[in-house]
Amino acid sequence: MAFSEEWYETELKSSELETLHRPPTVEYSFYTAVKTGDMETVVANCKEDAFIHLEGTGVLSRNTLTNIKYHFVVTAAMLTRYCIDGGLEPEQAYRLSDFYILKMDTCTTVRQIADLHHEMAKDFTGKMVLQKKSSILSKPVVQCVDYIYSHIKERITVAMLAEYTGLSESYLSRVFKQNLGISISDYIREKKIEKATHLLRYSDKSIIDIANYLSFSSQSHFIQTFENFTGMTPKKYRNKYYKSMW
């Protein structure tokens, strides 16, 4: 049967069943909440498990698990483009989308995919919250934030950032603290620990490998810094969260 004939037959059956797709404004409001950094709305949406209430969303596969996976990919693609439109750096947005889609591909139940969807939505929203803050930051602070993000694996010092921005260490440190309410050194440590939590949850790297990967001076220094920020050791964190959603 030609595709056109098959389509008309399918369209006729759908018309007879009177099955209608829900208004796109429902999805647009969710994407907009993520784009604007409205964490309260996004968290409420996740608590309601709205993602797996598929009434009116269309059937993309007859297989229940495959169907929800396809919807996950659609959501990831839309969030990526909405957030880029909201100012998120495109490469970061695409990498984040690829990361979650690859993780989703390993899920084996609808519940795992839904939980991962919620993590993805809150992650994108969190990035947009930071994006909104950065929009009022001074240029040298934005340069520092971007540099730290791109070189998080390396040893980063105030002197390096001062040279990168063409400012004195004291002036840069003062402006950075005024803009973000945190010292440059503490911000670097915070971002390294944030990266470490991702590696502990989603990779098989050993704790010493993670310490070396993030250029900590020693494993003990990494453990101490991690515990100061999270309230638990890397080992306890991994035992609690490692691949917990699947």
Side-chain angles (χ1 to χ4, degrees):
M1 182 186 295
F3 285 126
S4 58
E5 294 177 15
E6 188 175 349
W7 155 247
Y8 287 125
E9 183 178 317
T10 303
E11 170 69 358
L12 180 60
K13 289 179 180 178
S14 297
S15 298
E16 291 173 349
L17 292 172
E18 296 184 346
T19 54
L20 300 176
H21 285 71
R22 65 190 182 192
T25 51
V26 175
E27 295 175 9
Y28 292 163
S29 62
F30 172 68
Y31 300 145
T32 300
V34 175
K35 173 183 174 179
T36 58
D38 185 356
M39 186 65 80
E40 184 178 351
T41 297
V42 172
V43 170
N45 181 282
C46 294
K47 286 182 178 179
E48 293 169 4
D49 249 352
F51 174 66
I52 57 176
H53 297 158
L54 298 178
E55 297 83 359
T57 61
V59 178
L60 306 181
S61 172
R62 302 299 177 190
N63 179 281
T64 302
L65 185 63
T66 303
N67 185 54
I68 199 73
K69 284 190 173 187
Y70 286 158
H71 279 286
F72 185 102
V73 173
V74 170
T75 301
M78 294 299 292
L79 290 182
T80 299
R81 283 146 185 82
Y82 262 70
C83 289
I84 289 174
D85 185 61
L88 189 62
E89 200 279 315
E91 187 59 31
Q92 183 182 10
Y94 287 127
R95 287 182 183 179
L96 199 61
S97 173
D98 292 347
F99 170 81
Y100 279 105
I101 290 173
L102 286 172
K103 289 300 176 186
M104 178 276 297
D105 200 39
T106 67
C107 294
T108 57
T109 68
V110 170
R111 182 71 263 160
Q112 290 172 346
I113 295 171
D115 290 344
L116 185 61
H117 166 273
H118 302 339
E119 289 290 327
M120 175 178 68
K122 288 184 282 188
D123 200 352
F124 267 106
T125 307
K127 297 287 190 296
M128 296 312 295
V129 171
L130 293 177
Q131 176 62 32
K132 288 172 65 178
K133 290 181 179 179
S134 70
S135 65
I136 59 173
L137 300 180
S138 63
K139 182 179 177 181
V141 174
V142 172
Q143 288 177 307
C144 289
V145 169
D146 289 343
Y147 184 93
I148 292 167
Y149 175 80
S150 302
H151 298 79
I152 195 65
K153 296 187 297 182
E154 303 168 13
R155 180 175 175 271
I156 306 170
T157 65
V158 177
M160 292 167 61
L161 293 172
E163 182 179 356
Y164 179 69
T165 57
L167 300 172
S168 69
E169 292 183 38
S170 59
Y171 179 75
L172 179 62
S173 296
R174 185 165 65 253
V175 171
F176 195 98
K177 183 68 177 290
Q178 288 173 346
N179 275 227
L180 292 180
I182 186 175
S183 71
I184 295 176
S185 298
D186 283 345
Y187 181 85
I188 293 169
R189 281 191 286 269
E190 182 180 284
K191 292 302 166 184
K192 283 184 177 288
I193 295 305
E194 181 183 298
K195 183 70 173 180
T197 61
H198 294 164
L199 292 170
L200 287 166
R201 291 182 70 165
Y202 306 122
S203 81
D204 296 319
K205 286 180 178 291
S206 67
I207 291 173
I208 190 168
D209 284 343
I210 293 174
N212 292 334
Y213 177 79
L214 293 172
S215 298
F216 279 88
S217 58
S218 65
Q219 182 178 356
S220 59
H221 179 221
F222 168 62
I223 293 173
Q224 181 181 359
T225 305
F226 190 95
E227 191 167 9
N228 288 340
F229 274 91
T230 66
M232 64 180 78
T233 64
K235 186 176 186 300
K236 288 182 179 179
Y237 187 93
R238 169 163 276 171
N239 289 342
K240 184 174 182 179
Y241 294 112
Y242 178 63
K243 294 184 178 179
S244 59
M245 63 186 62
W246 53 80

